[in-house]
Amino acid sequence: MKVLSRAAFVAGSLLLLVGLVAGVANRQLLDGDRFAAHVDAVREDPQVARQLGLVITDRLLDQQPDLTGLRPLIESASASLVASPALGPAVRTAITPVHEALTSDDGGQVVLRLADVGALLVAAITTLAPETQAAIPTDLDVTLASIGGQEFSSEGINLAHWVVLLSWLLPLLGLVVLIVGGVPWRRGWRAPARLVGAGIMTAAGLLVLLLVVGGFVISRVDDDTLVGALARAAWGELDGTFWVTAVVVGTLGWLLRVGASPGLILDPAALLDRGWRVLTERAETPRGEVVRALVVVGVGALLVLRPIAVLSLAVSVAGVVVLLVGASALGRALVLGWLTRAGGPSPAVRRLRRLARPAVAAVGALVLVAAVVVGALPGDQHLPAVAGDDSTACNGHVELCNRSFDDVAFAGTHNSMSAADQPGWFLAEQPHGILRQLDDGIRVLLIDSWYGQTTQREGVVATSAESRDKALAEAEATYGAGVVQSALRLRDSLNLTPTGPVTPYLCHALCELGSTEWEPLMEEVRDWLDRNPREVITFFIQDEVTPADTAALVERAGLLPYTYIPEAGRPWPTLGEMISSGRRVVFLLENASGAPKNPWLIDSRIEVQDRPYSYSRSSQFTCDLFRGPADAPLFLVNHWLSNYATRVSDAAEVNAADVLDPRLEQCRAERGRLPNFVAVDNYDQGDLFGAVDRLNAGG
């Protein structure tokens, strides 16, 4: 019987081990969003970016040997582009369909062309070094790799199916084998429970051993090669998840074993003393001595290779012990008190008491551990909102209530809808979506409206046929023909076909580069206004959607009662007056007017003057008049650089106080007007809110 139990113990522990690995793979690699996030994180690893930059450079120079003299520049631009957060949405958009092709039953071939990365690189190089533009052909098309083909897809599908199956089947089989192996020992539930607990702990220990060995092997890999850099970055991305799994599973096994051990003294000092004796005192049997030696070797290896992880593990174990002691004491007090009231220590009560003690201790500890784990999860971190007393302030400041709308400076965002945390946006220009921007203090939202259509692929929108030529021309003017062609190749690889009705969307030219359905967003804005009754906001719309359709959309969203309606010949009201009237949302159209039917759609060509916006360096900033009459009451300062490949670092530079403040003061001095709308990219970089506060303070 003992041989059978030992065999069951070994088999059950190994089944659990493989099941744990399959479970992590199932959660982290077969989930499309998680997989794309992991790939994106690996891409941003500095050594991976460097190695990919070298590969891209080699392929470019193979095609254009005359560019060899520019190799250092190309290598630097390549690595910067590969690691740029601005490339994140494009990478995730490209990886997700590839992942689906390899893990689903869709037999269609999907080819991911890193030539598209090459096209982005070419545009980046010409931006960073304009003198190279004549040397680099605009149609340069370098295929670095192709992922796809039916054979590869079939292998991926088969592997995915096996991982899903093993992730639930092996742990179940392992538990069954351990339970069956414990039954022959003696009658009762304690022996199987202890064996299961020991098996779970053994599986967790083996996983730790694998992690230690794997970490050592990976540390010896040469990361000066692309394969080595990818291996190290991928291990670093998944290593933490495996460690958490090992600790949680090992803790659960230990709790089960503790709960099934009669007479165990749940005292921290006693438990620590017992653990120390297990490590330091020679075992009574050769098998026990082998186990002890393996444990000591494993602990020593962990102390050498992962000292921080061991410290964290020790603190976690100490916390579990304290929770277990507390749960046991609480359970003993409650249960024994109830049993005493139930009629005294009769034989039946004593038997129930013996069963209740370990059960209450184990269940209580599990509940408390779960509560602590859930409570320790990181919360959502927001930028601080604009300070102020909501009951009396206007846009966060009491002193602004008596100022007219055209005598107040507002923080704004350029292409507000193009956000990195919103799905499907290519080359996002803001870190967060519009609702988060409002929460953070943005009060002017520059948005582009276009007609789009849904496609057979959920979440992907195509620009409507009527608007497509104009959208394509605008996208090429903004990003360059190479970048746009890359996006369109990606679109073609997805086999998109417009199928839905023509509907207003917020897109930056081509909706294939990213889109947000407009009407649902306006409904969310209405709800936000209800929650923030002392705020005045502005939508500045590049209006490819007609005024009539815009008005109908706003009315359906329930925003019409909030819109400010100008009166001919009267100046702008104060913020306090707008808030009191409830008319605290200003709509400005870039190319049209809603009058006479919808006068709240205000013609910005009359009311707003602005500054140019196509700059590649901060030294090029001017305050020259660009659009609108020089005496227009509202003043928009476009303050961003147009280098998409370095958009975030550019924003950190130009949004800094030492760049933004002097420009705003220069524009105020040259134009004789307060800059009302200060629009930037990546508003979380620099000091936009501080600059706007300083403008208002200088009033």
Side-chain angles (χ1 to χ4, degrees), residues 45-75:
D45 179 84
Q47 195 62 14
V48 171
R50 177 175 174 273
Q51 294 301 322
L52 283 174
L54 293 175
V55 172
I56 293 172
T57 301
D58 289 340
R59 298 302 188 274
L60 285 170
L61 296 183
D62 285 345
Q63 295 290 319
Q64 293 291 322
D66 292 339
L67 298 179
T68 302
L70 297 175
R71 185 180 184 96
L73 172 65
I74 297 174
E75 287 181 359

Side-chain angles (χ1 to χ4, degrees), residues 376-615:
L377 292 176
D380 189 22
Q381 296 181 351
H382 280 56
L383 293 174
V386 179
D389 180 0
D390 289 342
S391 63
T392 59
C394 298
N395 280 35
H397 299 278
V398 175
E399 61 272 18
L400 297 182
C401 291
N402 292 325
R403 293 193 192 176
S404 62
F405 180 82
D406 58 339
D407 194 30
V408 176
F410 302 90
T413 49
H414 166 236
N415 283 331
S416 309
M417 67 288 172
S418 175
D421 66 353
Q422 302 299 300
W425 276 97
F426 183 81
L427 297 174
E429 295 170 55
Q430 302 300 335
H432 306 296
I434 285 176
L435 270 293
R436 169 72 180 271
Q437 292 177 37
L438 290 172
D439 284 343
D440 290 343
I442 297 299
R443 294 296 175 261
V444 178
L445 300 143
L446 278 60
I447 57 177
D448 296 1
S449 67
W450 291 82
Y451 290 106
Q453 293 176 270
T454 57
T455 64
Q456 87 282 8
R457 184 172 182 79
E458 183 178 0
V460 181
V461 173
T463 309
S464 66
E466 294 78 6
S467 306
R468 184 168 180 74
D469 289 344
K470 184 174 183 179
L472 181 61
E474 181 173 323
E476 289 182 344
T478 302
Y479 297 116
V483 177
V484 173
Q485 289 305 312
S486 291
L488 294 180
R489 278 194 294 273
L490 178 60
R491 175 185 185 273
D492 292 340
S493 73
L494 297 174
N495 298 315
L496 293 182
T497 301
T499 57
V502 176
T503 306
Y505 284 87
L506 301 183
C507 310
H508 189 33
L510 284 173
C511 292
E512 291 84 347
L513 303 180
S515 66
T516 298
E517 193 173 0
W518 196 3
E519 186 173 330
L521 175 63
M522 292 294 99
E523 294 174 354
E524 293 178 335
V525 169
R526 179 203 63 210
D527 294 339
W528 185 91
L529 289 165
D530 290 339
R531 297 191 302 270
N532 298 271
R534 305 288 300 176
E535 302 297 325
V536 176
I537 66 175
T538 299
F539 285 98
F540 201 136
I541 307 169
Q542 179 183 326
D543 47 325
E544 302 303 329
V545 173
T546 66
D549 286 346
T550 300
L553 177 150
V554 170
E555 183 174 7
R556 288 194 302 271
L559 265 180
L560 196 57
Y562 300 81
T563 58
Y564 166 70
I565 305 175
E567 297 182 33
R570 296 196 61 178
W572 283 88
T574 65
L575 295 194
E577 291 170 341
M578 297 175 76
I579 290 170
S580 297
S581 69
R583 300 281 182 174
R584 51 195 177 95
V585 182
V586 177
F587 280 91
L588 294 163
L589 299 183
E590 186 175 303
N591 301 310
S593 168
K597 188 175 182 180
N598 299 293
W600 52 272
L601 290 172
I602 302 169
D603 191 344
S604 70
R605 296 171 297 181
I606 298 174
E607 294 292 329
V608 182
Q609 55 177 299
D610 76 341
R611 308 282 73 80
Y613 57 80
S614 294
Y615 304 106

Side-chain angles (χ1 to χ4, degrees), residues 211-229:
L211 291 173
V212 171
V213 174
F216 177 77
V217 172
I218 289 295
S219 68
R220 312 298 295 176
V221 171
D222 183 9
D223 62 356
D224 281 334
T225 65
L226 178 57
V227 173

Side-chain angles (χ1 to χ4, degrees), residues 119-199:
L120 299 176
L121 172 65
V122 171
I125 293 173
T126 56
T127 299
L128 294 170
E131 66 275 9
T132 67
Q133 188 164 6
I136 299 179
T138 58
D139 60 349
L140 183 59
D141 185 16
V142 184
T143 301
L144 301 178
S146 293
I147 301 175
Q150 187 55 46
E151 290 185 4
F152 189 60
S153 295
S154 298
E155 293 175 2
I157 292 169
N158 292 333
L159 179 60
H161 287 172
W162 274 107
V163 169
V164 173
L165 176 64
L166 296 179
S167 65
W168 66 266
L169 180 60
L170 291 186
L172 180 61
L173 287 176
L175 292 175
V176 170
V177 170
L178 289 172
I179 293 172
V180 171
V183 169
W185 287 14
R186 67 184 70 169
R187 294 181 179 179
W189 61 274
R190 294 184 185 277
R194 286 199 299 272
L195 189 66
V196 171

